[in-house]
Amino acid sequence: MRKVLLKNIAEHVGVSIALVSYVLNGKAEEKQVGKEAAEKIRAAAAELNYQPNHIAKSLKTRKTYTIGLVVADIKYRFSTGITSAIEAEAKKKGYNVIFGSSNENAEKFNELTNVLVNRQVDGLIVVPSEDSQDQIALLQNSGVPLVLIDRYFPELNTNCIVLDNFKAAYEITSYLIRQGHARIGFVNLETTLHHLHERSRGYKQALADHGIEFSPHWLQKIGVNDRAKGVETALNQMLKREAPCDAVFFATDTLSIMGLKTMNGMNLKVPDDVSVISFDEAEAFDLFYCSVTHWRQPLEEMGKIAVKTLIDVIKHGKTYKQITLESSFVAGKSCRE
Amino acid sequence: MRKVLLKNIAEHVGVSIALVSYVLNGKAEEKQVGKEAAEKIRAAAAELNYQPNHIAKSLKTRKTYTIGLVVADIKYRFSTGITSAIEAEAKKKGYNVIFGSSNENAEKFNELTNVLVNRQVDGLIVVPSEDSQDQIALLQNSGVPLVLIDRYFPELNTNCIVLDNFKAAYEITSYLIRQGHARIGFVNLETTLHHLHERSRGYKQALADHGIEFSPHWLQKIGVNDRAKGVETALNQMLKREAPCDAVFFATDTLSIMGLKTMNGMNLKVPDDVSVISFDEAEAFDLFYCSVTHWRQPLEEMGKIAVKTLIDVIKHGKTYKQITLESSFVAGKSCRE
DNA sequence: ATTAATACTTTAAACGTTTAAAGAAAAATT
DNA sequence: AATTTTTCTTTAAACGTTTAAAGTATTAAT
């Protein structure tokens, strides 16, 4: 069953290929194609079930109507959420999404973005991995339409859709202070990623602004290898001492899960023994014995705006938009009242 | 910064485009390209950082080295697991993956597969949604290389990589019986999907083979809308009665999560009040107070074999392989000993 | 009845590759 | 020295579209 081509329709109707192309691309008016011919062409296309060859189309038009998406790790809730949001919005706008996961690895990130660019995607939406600023700069210079989400490099002038991580962490910490907590621990990742530094900064600033003197062991940073073990050690530092922390704030949902699991193992009751707040939610919270208070990232909105921004760049050329979205507090029962 | 083309390299070296193409496609030997010319061409390609235009390549060769993947719902753990497995294996073989999620909707499934085929993917790996057998048959007839995973239609002759769901459910149920359970509930989805029917069948057969008379209220099927509510009702049926079930077997991880959550709400203690087994695991189990006994699907293997099978079809034409993988029992602490 | 304007259609080049087939140069055989 | 063979290179068509530009009817204006 050979594919039907424009040529076949042209022969079938008895006109030139050009006319068929005009009509099937909605340029009948513009090109003043005769009504009768146009009708015949449309009928023939339907009858023969013509399906355009996008490869040929792309070659000629230099447009693929495909967006390349690179997430940090497909296993994160953030990634699946943002992916489906982006897919849905892209689809609405007539774009497809090709997607890959860098697994938080700069090398894989470079490779992936290169592959996507070589596949002639019209633009990229990426969650940059650690140490990817050089590649981001390269991409930016090469002229590929590019939008970063979630993470960004302050020294780089790129489009990005992000949160005010400083403010979020500041608010979370302030909330804990208002609830009467005096020794608040913060578990973050050991990383160079700016958005996570911002979270640490917000945490510290809130303490300072409320006149709480910061104790170094309150802020624990988890290295890349064996994170579960790292979280355990961190919590021991915070909770197994003279004046233990009375609240723990986790900088990511993954850390929260590991933390809550560890607390289960330590036979600590949330929130009686210790209050807990998570940055970002996790499906796993569903099975914890109490609902987990957390900070909510607007994934839907982020995905939508990322696609819109990208398409804007694709269609109208470079911009440098730094869009900061509002995120929100979701009260659960994991904090002492 | 205009893209570097074969033409540019040819001019740079002073040879024809054909020669450049031969060399850069590893056909230097075969086409007996002069050693010196070949070396110069390779050097120039490196120097100019030549990146082939895959669109043009594909147009000519009718190969895109792209696999289309349709999953049932990107939010399932199965989907993310299988997606990364497929991506990794495809990458190894020099293929890319374009991906979409049908959200368990036949219409979206049709649309997605059509889009992917129009994008000239070399083949499709799909988790078919309910009511998609017509589309599957169409695709099969159109000659697109096709591999189904996880689910399949027994009346359709297609390549598929699946589990023996009957056997798995049979073994799970038998295990519960061996542990001394006499009233075993099974929570499944209300669906026409064959693999889930197989699970019900395995469950029933195990009861029958062990001489346990099946009570209708033990088998609960959850409809599509408001599944959480459905699970709650189902568990009430099973557990709030004269002779309540002493064990519940959930047919999917999503059902398990909702079930365990509901049990928390009902103040039922696992496994003291009721034993629980899940088909497939979930990250959420991490936060449950006891480890959840479950049946493990070999996602890595499934993805790998799916890719291998598909590439085999792409390269060597149609086959009809029904590959059944072994799956395994993972003991936790959610069943009475 | 010309000419000019309008309405419609076709031609042909281009997009960046691949690859038969033909051609040219060099080496080997008469 | 002429011929054949081998080695290396180029030519040119093709993949399936899009789209200026040119062409040809038809209608309107003089």
Side-chain angles (χ1 to χ4, degrees), chain A residues 55 119, chain B residues 54 57-69 90 93-98 113 115-125 139 142-147 307 309-318:
Chain A
I55 299 284
R119 296 271 160 164
Chain B
H54 286 273
K57 243 180 150 106
S58 296
L59 179 59
K60 186 63 200 175
T61 61
R62 295 150 178 281
K63 299 249 161 308
T64 57
Y65 290 96
T66 303
I67 291 172
L69 170 65
K93 308 274 185 185
Y95 281 76
N96 273 113
V97 176
I98 311 189
T113 46
V115 166
L116 292 172
V117 170
N118 278 355
R119 297 268 161 164
Q120 329 293 133
V121 294
D122 291 346
L124 287 174
I125 298 177
L139 290 169
S142 79
V144 204
L146 178 68
V147 173
V307 171
T309 309
L310 184 67
I311 293 182
D312 190 52
V313 179
I314 291 172
K315 298 229 159 121
H316 311 115
K318 280 225 180 68

Side-chain angles (χ1 to χ4, degrees), chain A residues 72-145:
Chain A
D73 192 326
I74 177 69
K75 276 156 188 151
Y76 298 162
R77 203 196 69 96
F78 180 90
S79 302
T80 56
I82 206 81
T83 301
S84 43
I86 287 175
E87 246 223 327
E89 183 67 16
K91 185 125 194 289
K92 266 195 211 156
K93 308 275 185 185
Y95 281 75
N96 274 113
V97 176
I98 311 189
F99 134 98
S101 168
S102 75
N103 298 330
E104 300 283 17
N105 176 334
E107 207 174 321
K108 179 133 201 240
F109 180 85
N110 297 355
E111 208 178 302
L112 255 173
T113 45
N114 284 337
V115 167
L116 293 172
V117 169
N118 279 353
R119 296 271 160 164
Q120 330 292 132
V121 295
D122 290 347
L124 287 174
I125 299 177
V126 304
V127 178
S129 76
E130 218 175 338
D131 303 321
S132 63
Q133 56 274 60
D134 291 355
Q135 175 75 356
I136 295 290
L138 265 167
L139 290 169
Q140 184 79 349
N141 287 336
S142 79
V144 203

Side-chain angles (χ1 to χ4, degrees), chain B residues 150-166:
Chain B
D150 186 37
R151 309 168 178 182
Y152 70 107
F153 301 102
E155 66 274 20
L156 250 41
N157 224 344
T158 55
N159 295 291
C160 53
I161 324 290
V162 293
L163 304 188
D164 188 338
N165 286 282
F166 171 82

Side-chain angles (χ1 to χ4, degrees), chain A residues 290-309:
Chain A
C290 74
S291 62
V292 178
T293 300
H294 60 267
W295 194 258
R296 194 175 176 285
Q297 302 202 47
L299 299 186
E300 287 289 323
E301 198 191 351
M302 195 178 262
K304 211 168 189 166
I305 295 188
V307 172
K308 281 188 177 161
T309 308

Side-chain angles (χ1 to χ4, degrees), chain A residues 268-289:
Chain A
L268 289 171
K269 197 75 186 168
V270 175
D272 301 343
D273 299 324
V274 58
S275 291
V276 167
I277 288 197
S278 168
F279 203 107
D280 219 341
E281 62 200 302
E283 197 196 24
F285 294 168
D286 271 1
L287 290 191
F288 196 62
Y289 50 81

